[in-house]
Amino acid sequence: MATPAGLERWVQDELHSVLGLSERHVAQFLIGTAQRSASAEEFVQRLRDTDTLDLSGPARDFALRLWNKVPRKALVEKPARVAEREARALLEKNRSYKLLEDSEESSEETVGRAGSSLQKKRKKRKHLRKKCQEEEEEEEEISEKGKRKTGKQQTEKPESEDEWERSERERLQDLEERDAFAERVRQRDKDRTRNVLERSDKKAYEEAQKRLKMAEEDRKAMVPELRKKSRREYLAKREREKLEDLEAELADEEFLFGDVELSRHERRELKYKRRVRDLAREYRAAGEQEKLEATNRYHMPEETRGQPARAVDLVEEESGAPGEEQRRWEEARLGAASLKFGARDAASQEPKYQLVLEEEETIEFVRATQLQGDEVSPPPPTQAQQKESIQAVRRSLPVFPFREELLAAIADHQVLIIEGETGSGKTTQIPQYLFEEGYTKKGMKIACTQPRRVAAMSVAARVAREMGVKLGNEVGYSIRFEDCTSERTVLRYMTDGMLLREFLSEPDLASYSVVMVDEAHERTLHTDILFGLIKDVARFRPELKVLVASATLDTARFSTFFDDAPVFRIPGRRFPVDIFYTKAPEADYLEACVVSVLQIHVTQPPGDILVFLTGQEEIEAACEMLQDRCRRLGSKIRELLVLPIYANLPSDMQARIFQPTPPGARKVVVATNIAETSLTIEGIIYVLDPGFWNKQPTSFQISCINIASANQRAGRAGRVAAGKCFRLYTAWAYQHELEETTVPEIQRTSLGNVVLLLKSLGIHDLMHFDFLDPPPYETLLLALEQLYALGALNHLGELTTVRWEVITLPLTAYSCSEEILTVAAMLSVNNSIFYRPKDKVVHADNARVNFFLPGGDHLVLLNVYTQWAESGYSSQWCYENFVQFRSMRRARDVREQLEGLLERVEVGLSSCQGDYIRVRKAITAGYFYHTARLTRSGYRTVKQQQTVFIHPNSSLFEEQPRWLLYHELVLTTKEFMRQVLEIESSWLLEVAPHYYKAKELEDPHSKKMPKKIGKTREELG
């Protein structure tokens, strides 16, 4: 009988000889299946049902030999089962006996002995009932005994099960729980998604019926009021007519009978008529006066006491005249209360002052090159040009002359690479051409992906306006937590992440006829994954059209990836752009941006400005500096509107950049690289490019842009008119220091999220996934090991339910979710909590030390946020403690988002009530692989033995604890640990026994020398 290990090796060797491959889990699966099979034929049939092996020839012989070699346990019946079987057999035997009663004939013959026989019968029946009752009790006892034995057997079954079978059963149960939880989360997200469309067709019909019914009811209720109003108007008209008749009658009588002597009756009647006329006039005058007083609230009475008042010329009145001071005070108050629009009046008024910039305060630019455009001398952006018809704008785009050629190329090829300059119209026009060509018939849809949500929203609104339809009907957009589509939507603009979600519900994209991946040159993480998935779908859906649009010259790589797909180039841009460089590099590019904006605002013709910066913190600082300087300059410059735009900004705040600029003012849009592509901001003429961008948004790594991004930014100035691009670096730096293209995000980011995303999409063979630029092999293996250590993957590489609980499990185990949410939110603001003004360095350091708590920097951040919350989120508290209010406000927003995510994954909030040991253990459970310990040569990481140092700003810099946990490593002059936490080595074995061994956590310096008697020099020789 072969041992289990030897049998597994034999199966692997046979698999390699039969199939040409061998894998440990396949061998275990075959052995387990053979053990569960009652016969060799059953084993062969089970393998045939899996559709994985061709069981003919050597494979069948191998299966038969394997079934014979697999050890099977002998079916030994347990004593309890034998006793139960014998008891049931005895019961069935007893039931087969019947009681023979005396017949009626014999009882009639023995009438004389009726009394004795009746007593015998009663005795027999009593005995029968007693016997039946005993049998029933015995049966119940046997059944209860059988149930107990069965239950005991069921409880003992897992103990007797094979280890592999138990792990397989647990794995399948975990997969079921994972799928059920994912479905609940997906349904919860769907319920939370805001549907921008107000009503569907059915609801609109019901609403129309309701409005008609309400209109009918209003009409019925309105008729009596209309009758009253008509009656009043008729009476007023009759009153006027009667008064006119009376006045005409009196005039006739005075004209005809003025010289005639009248009788007493005639005089009395004439006097009565005049009296009635006078009363009617006074009544009408009083009514008009009442209406005037009701509207004006105050009516100046006329002067009737003598001569009219003298008109006073307030302008020429001397300053020393009586009442002059009171008059000026009233004018000042009235002027402050009146509503005035400075930008609207500034165009017609002459400037009171003229701002003269000093030469040392300006930045000198040198014009170097020009990006050519189709319109060499475009007219200035006047109001007539802004009111140009939409169809004329569509015809003026560079893509319009190539419409027929483009549609023919799409019809002839399944995959087409489209290269076009920024502003050529490929994003807005190509989906419309496909819609007009009939690619949306039979209920099919066209999908166009954008890398950012604001781009998807703005482009969808633009296309809906060009097509003359309401946004959300034929044209709509879909971003996370906001869906502006309906049943009639055929053109769907969406983020690339939303298209990945479509793969979860529709893996073959059967409802789409065309998929257009726009802005492919940005090479975002989701875009690279989409390339591999769409390439796979296109192979078994020949009718699906795939369009990859890029604005750079790196289209050959895309063509090679999609099996040498053809490239369609759209030449030309609409307007030329002049490129300016600085004569010398700038030391502070943020200050240079602010100065350049004011310089352009004062010296250049009208036109809006677009400034590119690296992140949210820089954008907010630049906006504050611009607003402060404009406030100090006052009326010396025209009005300047400063508008930020970045990814974390709410959608309604992002939409402000698309609002038209007021006349006489200038708009400045301060943006990240979110505005490089797909955003057409009306009126942008000037672009300011400092030459930097945030390479890694999660860790704030600022680096130089590449040549492709620089050209993209310059192209923003040539979308609506001839523009200028001011680059805050030299022409030599552009030619020699900038790279050609950017490094794909998938090669410079942590691959943990990538692995989770691909596993969620059902892709398990990550090593052989068709990436456009594969990530490093070692990095992918490291991500898999890390996820396995966290419990997110099982031994087969499948997602587990713990994947959804990787973050939430420590929170529920240690009951400190509120504190961990606060720490995570404070860590997300990029170490910008405290600030040190140069003139108050000592006070700032003392204020920071006051927040220190024993345990580490995480508890310091928790203490800062807790005290700020107790102060009522006060900005004055932040000012007094040298804490940045803007960062704290951002941390509060992040905490609210994290709280919503915990609710999404069904985790409640709890607090540790000041027990910081639980907080430190919970952080250790999530970052147990970021640990270091103190050695004689300094701190070294536990696993990689890398030399690291505590950051000088840490609260533990002077304490030097033996064991540390760090949030991140920062490489400057040394490898510094930032945001460190003091831990104990026993916690690592408690939270991660699968990752650490006790031997790794032993302190070699704590060992003592053995107590032995040493040898003398003579003994040693």
Side-chain angles (χ1 to χ4, degrees):
M1 182 75 64
T3 61
L7 179 61
E8 185 174 338
R9 285 195 300 270
W10 179 81
V11 172
Q12 291 179 3
D13 296 340
E14 291 295 324
L15 280 175
H16 194 276
S17 61
V18 173
L19 303 178
L21 58 91
S22 177
E23 211 275 332
R24 179 170 60 90
H25 299 296
V26 177
Q28 293 178 355
F29 169 75
L30 293 175
I31 294 173
T33 306
Q35 288 178 346
R36 291 191 300 271
S37 301
S39 62
E41 294 300 327
E42 182 182 351
F43 176 52
V44 172
Q45 184 62 34
R46 285 191 177 187
L47 294 181
R48 186 178 289 111
D49 294 340
T50 59
D51 294 332
T52 56
L53 295 175
D54 184 13
L55 294 175
S56 60
R60 181 180 176 84
D61 297 338
F62 161 69
L64 296 176
R65 284 185 286 123
L66 174 60
W67 188 85
N68 293 325
K69 280 182 173 291
V70 168
R72 278 175 293 277
K73 297 178 182 178
L75 296 177
V76 179
E77 195 172 12
K78 295 183 179 181
R81 180 62 62 86
V82 174
E84 180 183 354
R85 181 168 51 79
E86 292 177 354
R88 288 184 178 276
L90 181 61
L91 180 62
E92 293 295 331
K93 183 177 180 181
N94 292 336
R95 285 181 179 177
S96 63
Y97 295 124
K98 292 183 180 180
L99 184 63
L100 297 177
E101 298 181 0
D102 294 339
S103 61
E104 295 180 357
E105 295 178 357
S106 60
S107 61
E108 290 178 356
E109 294 177 355
T110 58
V111 177
R113 292 177 297 179
S116 60
S117 67
L118 183 60
Q119 290 179 358
K120 290 180 181 180
K121 286 184 179 181
R122 287 177 180 176
K123 196 176 291 186
K124 289 181 180 179
R125 289 173 182 170
K126 184 177 180 180
H127 179 69
L128 178 64
R129 286 195 300 268
K130 185 176 180 180
K131 187 176 181 181
C132 292
Q133 185 177 359
E134 290 177 355
E135 290 179 356
E136 290 176 359
E137 290 177 356
E138 183 182 1
E139 183 178 0
E140 290 177 0
E141 183 180 357
I142 293 174
S143 62
E144 290 179 0
K145 186 177 179 181
K147 289 180 180 180
R148 288 195 302 269
K149 295 294 183 180
T150 306
K152 186 176 180 181
Q153 182 182 5
Q154 290 178 355
T155 57
E156 293 176 355
K157 183 178 179 180
E159 298 179 0
S160 62
E161 272 184 330
D162 185 72
E163 181 180 357
W164 185 88
E165 294 179 355
R166 183 171 61 254
S167 62
E168 183 70 13
R169 178 168 48 81
E170 292 175 354
R171 184 182 68 86
L172 295 177
Q173 182 180 359
D174 186 78
L175 294 180
E176 292 179 1
E177 294 177 359
R178 180 200 70 187
D179 296 339
F181 181 78
E183 184 63 29
R184 292 198 304 271
V185 172
R186 195 178 298 115
Q187 184 63 33
R188 195 175 296 112
D189 290 345
K190 184 178 179 181
D191 297 337
R192 288 177 57 192
T193 300
R194 183 170 67 93
N195 195 348
V196 180
L197 291 181
E198 296 180 358
R199 305 171 182 85
S200 61
D201 293 342
K202 183 178 180 180
K203 291 185 177 180
Y205 177 77
E206 295 176 354
E207 189 69 22
Q209 293 291 335
K210 185 178 179 180
R211 285 198 300 268
L212 291 176
K213 186 177 180 180
M214 292 175 61
E216 183 68 21
E217 294 176 355
D218 293 342
R219 189 181 66 81
K220 291 180 180 179
M222 196 183 299
V223 169
E225 296 295 329
L226 291 176
R227 288 175 179 172
K228 292 180 182 179
K229 184 177 180 180
S230 176
R231 182 67 177 170
R232 293 192 190 100
E233 292 179 355
Y234 168 72
L235 292 176
K237 180 180 179 182
R238 186 170 180 273
E239 181 183 351
R240 290 194 299 270
E241 291 177 354
K242 289 295 182 181
L243 182 58
E244 291 174 359
D245 293 342
L246 181 58
E247 292 177 349
E249 185 178 353
L250 289 174
D252 291 344
E253 289 184 358
E254 290 178 358
F255 180 75
L256 296 175
F257 308 104
D259 299 335
V260 179
E261 185 178 357
L262 302 176
S263 63
R264 180 187 300 176
H265 177 70
E266 290 176 343
R267 287 196 303 270
R268 186 169 61 251
E269 187 177 357
L270 181 60
K271 184 179 180 180
Y272 173 75
K273 290 181 179 179
R274 288 175 179 174
R275 178 64 177 165
V276 171
R277 182 195 61 185
D278 295 339
L279 289 174
R281 288 178 177 178
E282 292 177 1
Y283 178 78
R284 184 170 60 181
E288 293 176 356
Q289 183 68 26
E290 185 179 358
K291 291 181 180 179
L292 185 62
E293 292 179 358
T295 54
N296 295 341
R297 309 298 295 270
Y298 179 76
H299 178 67
M300 181 69 70
E302 295 182 0
E303 180 63 43
T304 58
R305 295 174 295 179
Q307 296 180 356
R310 179 180 62 88
V312 181
D313 190 359
L314 299 179
V315 179
E316 297 180 359
E317 190 173 3
E318 297 180 359
S319 60
E324 175 66 13
E325 184 177 356
Q326 178 70 16
R327 181 188 63 78
R328 290 181 178 178
W329 184 85
E330 290 178 355
E331 286 182 353
R333 299 283 75 76
L334 291 174
S338 60
L339 182 62
K340 295 182 180 180
F341 297 92
R344 191 173 299 172
D345 301 337
S348 60
Q349 295 178 357
E350 292 293 332
K352 295 182 180 180
Y353 304 98
Q354 182 178 3
L355 178 64
V356 179
L357 296 175
E358 300 292 340
E359 291 186 1
E360 60 270 10
E361 296 180 358
T362 61
I363 298 176
E364 189 173 356
F365 291 94
V366 179
R367 179 182 175 184
T369 58
Q370 182 186 45
L371 300 179
Q372 298 296 328
D374 295 338
E375 300 182 14
V376 180
S377 57
T382 60
Q383 292 184 358
Q385 181 183 356
Q386 294 176 1
K387 294 181 180 180
E388 187 181 4
S389 67
I390 294 179
Q391 297 302 323
V393 173
R394 291 187 61 189
R395 289 191 294 270
S396 65
L397 292 174
V399 73
F400 181 76
F402 303 95
R403 181 182 186 276
E404 301 301 329
E405 299 177 12
L406 178 62
L407 292 175
I410 294 174
D412 295 339
H413 303 91
Q414 184 183 11
V415 181
L416 186 65
I417 314 298
I418 301 174
E419 177 193 333
E421 290 283 351
T422 301
S424 60
K426 56 184 183 299
T427 303
T428 58
Q429 303 307 308
I430 293 178
Q432 294 187 62
Y433 297 160
L434 297 173
F435 171 75
E436 296 166 359
E437 192 68 15
Y439 280 89
T440 57
K441 294 180 180 179
K442 299 181 181 180
M444 303 301 287
K445 293 179 290 186
I446 298 174
C448 182
T449 67
Q450 299 292 325
R452 297 176 180 86
R453 57 175 183 168
V454 64
M457 296 168 60
S458 60
V459 172
R462 173 71 182 181
V463 173
R465 191 161 58 249
E466 291 181 356
M467 295 179 61
V469 297
K470 182 182 177 182
L471 182 62
N473 289 344
E474 284 78 9
V475 181
Y477 66 87
S478 177
I479 60 178
R480 191 176 185 186
F481 296 139
E482 188 169 334
D483 186 17
C484 185
T485 59
S486 63
E487 297 84 0
R488 299 192 300 272
T489 303
V490 292
L491 291 184
R492 293 192 63 180
Y493 287 89
M494 63 183 72
T495 56
D496 41 16
M498 293 304 296
L499 187 57
L500 287 177
R501 286 194 173 192
E502 293 282 332
F503 274 96
L504 293 176
S505 58
E506 195 177 27
D508 57 348
L509 299 179
S511 60
Y512 292 93
S513 60
V514 180
V515 174
M516 179 176 177
V517 182
D518 198 13
E519 311 300 343
H521 58 273
E522 292 201 8
R523 302 295 304 278
T524 62
L525 181 63
H526 290 164
T527 302
D528 276 14
I529 297 175
L530 272 180
F531 283 154
L533 296 176
I534 292 178
K535 180 180 179 181
D536 189 29
V537 171
R539 286 173 176 170
F540 64 86
R541 276 198 63 197
E543 71 279 3
L544 177 66
K545 301 295 183 181
V546 178
L547 306 180
V548 180
S550 174
T552 62
L553 299 177
D554 193 22
T555 53
R557 181 187 296 271
F558 299 140
S559 176
T560 305
F561 177 73
F562 285 100
D563 302 328
D564 295 329
V567 179
F568 190 93
R569 290 182 171 85
I570 304 174
R573 66 172 63 245
R574 192 176 177 192
F575 297 105
V577 178
D578 294 331
I579 307 296
F580 294 86
Y581 296 93
T582 57
K583 282 189 174 182
E586 294 295 329
D588 187 356
Y589 67 91
L590 188 61
E591 176 69 20
C593 285
V594 175
V595 174
S596 301
V597 167
L598 296 176
Q599 183 177 341
I600 294 171
H601 182 51
V602 173
T603 61
Q604 297 296 326
D608 296 338
I609 307 172
L610 176 60
V611 183
F612 287 98
L613 290 177
T614 59
Q616 177 181 350
E617 185 178 356
E618 282 191 359
I619 289 174
E620 292 178 348
C623 291
E624 289 182 4
M625 295 169 64
L626 280 173
Q627 292 170 354
D628 180 64
R629 297 191 184 186
C630 291
R631 195 182 304 114
R632 283 187 289 162
L633 292 172
S635 59
K636 295 181 181 180
I637 60 174
R638 291 181 299 165
E639 185 174 355
L640 191 66
L641 302 178
V642 183
L643 301 176
I645 173 72
Y646 46 85
N648 293 334
L649 199 66
S651 299
D652 54 343
M653 299 291 290
Q654 290 181 351
R656 291 175 56 194
I657 66 174
F658 301 108
Q659 297 176 358
T661 307
R666 192 194 297 268
K667 179 170 61 180
V668 178
V669 179
V670 188
T672 59
N673 56 348
I674 190 176
E676 278 188 13
T677 52
S678 298
L679 287 183
T680 302
I681 306 174
E682 295 295 335
I684 294 294
I685 306 297
Y686 308 101
V687 169
L688 204 58
D689 179 17
F692 295 98
W693 70 305
N694 192 358
K695 185 175 182 180
Q696 188 68 29
T698 57
S699 61
F700 203 70
Q701 299 177 0
I702 299 176
S703 60
C704 296
I705 62 174
N706 51 67
I707 294 178
S709 297
N711 294 333
Q712 286 288 320
R713 294 182 176 186
R716 295 292 98 189
R719 297 296 292 264
V720 296
K724 297 179 181 179
C725 176
F726 298 90
R727 292 173 173 169
L728 296 177
Y729 46 90
T730 61
W732 189 93
Y734 173 80
Q735 297 171 1
H736 298 87
E737 293 183 356
L738 300 187
E739 299 178 355
E740 289 291 336
T741 57
T742 182
V743 178
E745 185 179 358
I746 198 170
Q747 292 185 343
R748 53 182 167 84
T749 187
S750 175
L751 296 184
N753 293 332
V754 178
V755 172
L756 286 179
L757 180 60
L758 292 175
K759 292 288 185 180
S760 300
L761 295 173
I763 300 169
H764 301 296
D765 190 5
L766 302 182
M767 301 299 178
H768 300 90
F769 183 74
D770 200 357
F771 290 105
L772 179 57
D773 285 314
Y777 182 79
E778 295 79 7
T779 310
L780 191 58
L781 281 181
L782 183 62
L784 288 171
E785 292 177 359
Q786 181 177 342
L787 291 174
Y788 179 74
L790 288 171
L793 301 178
N794 58 17
H795 64 284
L796 297 179
E798 298 173 339
L799 289 178
T800 63
T801 311
V802 183
R803 167 222 171 188
W804 304 98
E805 303 170 358
V806 168
I807 302 300
T808 62
L809 189 60
L811 307 184
T812 56
Y814 298 105
S815 300
C816 56
S817 57
E818 292 189 1
E819 287 78 9
I820 296 299
L821 285 183
T822 303
V823 172
M826 295 290 283
L827 289 173
S828 67
V829 295
N830 297 321
N831 303 291
S832 59
I833 302 297
F834 301 97
Y835 69 95
R836 300 176 69 205
K838 295 181 180 179
D839 55 340
K840 298 180 181 179
V841 173
V842 177
H843 299 284
D845 292 341
N846 290 335
R848 181 171 183 171
V849 171
N850 291 334
F851 290 111
F852 284 2
L853 287 178
D857 298 332
H858 297 74
L859 302 184
V860 173
L861 297 177
L862 176 61
N863 189 24
V864 172
Y865 188 90
T866 303
Q867 293 191 28
W868 181 56
E870 292 175 353
S871 69
Y873 306 104
S874 170
S875 59
Q876 181 65 25
W877 181 90
C878 294
Y879 176 76
E880 294 173 354
N881 292 276
F882 297 93
V883 174
Q884 297 195 38
F885 177 70
R886 183 174 63 247
S887 300
M888 298 299 295
R889 187 173 53 191
R890 189 160 65 246
R892 182 179 60 184
D893 296 339
V894 172
R895 190 183 187 280
E896 292 177 354
Q897 295 178 7
L898 292 176
E899 188 174 341
L901 290 177
L902 280 189
E903 181 184 356
R904 176 173 175 258
V905 295
E906 303 173 358
V907 176
L909 294 179
S910 59
S911 176
C912 65
Q913 302 297 331
D915 186 5
Y916 294 137
I917 297 293
R918 286 191 283 174
V919 177
R920 290 159 61 188
K921 285 187 176 181
I923 298 174
T924 307
Y927 282 88
F928 57 82
Y929 44 87
H930 282 183
T931 53
R933 64 179 171 186
L934 183 62
T935 62
R936 291 182 178 179
S937 59
Y939 281 101
R940 289 180 178 272
T941 57
V942 177
K943 282 290 186 179
Q944 286 78 22
Q945 296 296 316
Q946 181 182 359
T947 303
V948 290
F949 301 88
I950 300 179
H951 199 275
N953 291 335
S954 173
S955 62
L956 299 178
F957 180 68
E958 298 179 356
E959 296 186 11
Q960 302 287 321
R962 186 169 296 276
W963 290 88
L964 284 180
L965 179 144
Y966 59 88
H967 176 64
E968 60 183 355
L969 293 178
V970 179
L971 178 62
T972 54
T973 56
K974 299 178 181 179
E975 194 83 17
F976 285 108
M977 296 182 292
R978 182 175 285 175
Q979 305 298 346
V980 297
L981 185 72
E982 183 180 359
I983 61 173
E984 297 179 7
S985 59
S986 59
W987 296 354
L988 298 177
L989 289 177
E990 178 183 343
V991 300
H994 58 283
Y995 192 76
Y996 290 104
K997 297 180 181 179
K999 188 176 180 180
E1000 293 178 339
L1001 303 178
E1002 289 180 356
D1003 191 0
H1005 304 292
S1006 62
K1007 294 183 179 180
K1008 297 182 179 180
M1009 294 294 293
K1011 295 182 178 180
K1012 292 184 179 181
I1013 300 175
K1015 297 182 179 181
T1016 62
R1017 181 180 299 178
E1018 291 77 9
E1019 292 175 349
L1020 292 174

